[in-house]
Amino acid sequence: MTERWDALVEQERDSWMATVAHWAGSAGRPALGWGVLLAVMALTTMPAVLVFASGWLPRGRFEVGLTVLGPLAVLLLWLLSGWRKSHGRRNRIIRIAIISVLFFSFGMLTLTLLLNPWLPSLETFQDAWLLRDPTLVTGEVAANWGRLAGRFALWGEGVAAASAPRDNLVLAMFVGAIVWLLAGVTVVLARTTQRGLLAALPILWIVGLLLLYSPADRWVFLLALGLALLLHLLLNQQRLVASWQRRQLDYSPSLFIEHNGLALGGFVLLLAMAALMPNLYVYELTSRYYDLIEPMNSGVEAGIERLFPGLTTGGSIG
């Protein structure tokens, strides 16, 4: 009897899993496929990974929030733009305006909730329900937003007086806003151009720029570059399949395995060569280049020091 019951339970579980898998592969499949969506989500975590690898923000309080912020922005904009397929061209300007307002509004709410939760506690909701006094909830929300506004006001006064203490919350908010914006740009480029390297270019640029001022190793950029290559291969594969289907051509699925394997193998070979080769440069050229960018570099460093003093040496307000 027990064996028969176990067999029925196993059959029911397999049926449930098969239903979920069928939904994910058909009705629930996002535009451009799950692989592209997951690659874009992973790519948008790279700026936050670099910030914590550089030690610019302490791990713990903000790490989870900033890391998941990019993937959440990707999911939201993917849903607003059409989960399974993009919306048509009808009323395009109005639709873009509505999507933009919703995307940035939800971005502000998500950013503040993840980095500086302002919702009242469960005890406050219970007290408000028992006492029939909704002002307990609104009062706590207003107080939380007031403290957040006070932190920004204090930081702004310090920046104006060139004596601002580095506030980790303010820095995390700036990083989060940049991550949310980059995630939105990446989604738009991926869905409109369907060119992986072009879609990944904004994130690769910001990660490469931050590495110039970061003590972190270059593994973050290499990981971002690998994700960009994966995204490019997935989108290129979809374009090839669509082209062959329009021409009613037969093709072997193993062709993609060989194509992607060759591309990934070449990427690994280039990484190995870059790790083993010595630095080759002409002193006169590099010296002239550093002399050329030195004024701009000094200005950027002075601006960072004024906005967030001691960015790499500590002395911050948590």
Side-chain angles (χ1 to χ4, degrees):
M1 183 68 180
T2 304
E3 295 179 356
R4 183 179 179 184
W5 177 258
D6 293 340
L8 290 175
V9 171
E10 186 69 23
Q11 182 179 0
E12 184 67 23
R13 184 173 63 182
D14 292 343
S15 176
W16 176 80
M17 294 175 62
T19 301
V20 173
H22 182 267
W23 176 85
S26 56
R29 183 181 183 274
L32 303 179
W34 287 105
V36 172
L37 177 61
L38 293 176
V40 173
M41 291 172 64
L43 188 62
T44 56
T45 64
M46 291 296 100
V49 170
L50 177 59
V51 167
F52 291 105
S54 304
W56 291 336
L57 281 173
R59 296 182 181 274
R61 179 182 176 187
F62 305 113
E63 186 173 14
V64 175
L66 285 178
T67 303
V68 303
L69 196 61
L72 288 177
V74 171
L75 288 174
L76 175 64
L77 190 53
W78 215 280
L79 183 63
L80 293 175
S81 302
W83 181 257
R84 297 195 60 191
K85 62 179 180 178
S86 300
H87 301 293
R89 295 181 177 274
R90 187 177 180 182
N91 299 325
R92 185 177 181 182
I93 297 178
I94 298 176
R95 187 172 60 253
I96 291 175
I98 294 174
I99 290 175
S100 300
V101 170
L102 291 175
F103 180 71
F104 288 110
S105 299
F106 277 107
M108 183 183 67
L109 292 176
T110 306
L111 181 63
T112 52
L113 281 173
L114 289 176
L115 301 183
N116 187 56
W118 46 265
L119 287 178
S121 62
L122 182 60
E123 290 77 10
T124 303
F125 279 110
Q126 291 175 346
D127 293 340
W129 173 261
L130 293 175
L131 299 175
R132 300 295 190 270
D133 187 4
T135 59
L136 295 176
V137 174
T138 57
E140 186 169 337
V141 171
N144 292 336
W145 275 100
R147 284 191 291 269
L148 179 61
R151 294 280 288 268
F152 272 90
L154 180 63
W155 173 79
E157 292 175 359
V159 171
S163 59
R166 183 165 70 90
D167 193 324
N168 283 335
L169 177 59
V170 175
L171 177 59
M173 287 288 182
F174 272 94
V175 173
I178 293 173
V179 169
W180 190 271
L181 180 60
L182 285 174
V185 173
T186 303
V187 170
V188 171
L189 290 175
R191 295 192 57 151
T192 55
T193 67
Q194 296 189 16
R195 297 290 191 276
L197 294 179
L198 179 60
L201 185 60
I203 292 181
L204 292 178
W205 177 78
I206 197 68
V207 170
L209 180 64
L210 292 177
L211 273 175
L212 295 176
Y213 307 94
S214 168
D217 294 331
R218 290 174 176 80
W219 65 267
V220 180
F221 185 80
L222 294 178
L223 181 57
L225 192 60
L227 290 171
L229 177 61
L230 175 62
L231 178 62
H232 186 78
L233 291 175
L234 291 172
L235 289 173
N236 183 62
Q237 176 177 320
Q238 292 194 12
R239 289 198 309 274
L240 289 175
V241 170
S243 176
W244 292 339
Q245 288 178 347
R246 285 196 304 269
R247 300 177 185 178
Q248 298 182 348
L249 298 176
D250 294 330
Y251 60 92
S252 174
S254 62
L255 179 64
F256 298 113
I257 299 177
E258 298 174 359
H259 178 259
N260 295 340
L262 182 62
L264 293 175
F267 179 68
V268 172
L269 180 61
L270 289 176
L271 290 182
M273 292 177 60
L276 296 176
M277 287 182 61
N279 291 329
L280 302 176
Y281 60 90
V282 179
Y283 177 78
E284 289 77 9
L285 292 178
T286 55
S287 177
R288 185 173 300 178
Y289 169 74
Y290 284 114
D291 290 341
L292 181 64
I293 68 170
E294 197 276 333
M296 181 186 68
N297 191 44
S298 299
V300 171
E301 291 181 348
I304 293 175
E305 184 64 23
R306 179 162 185 166
L307 293 174
F308 305 104
L311 189 60
T312 58
T313 58
S316 62
I317 300 175

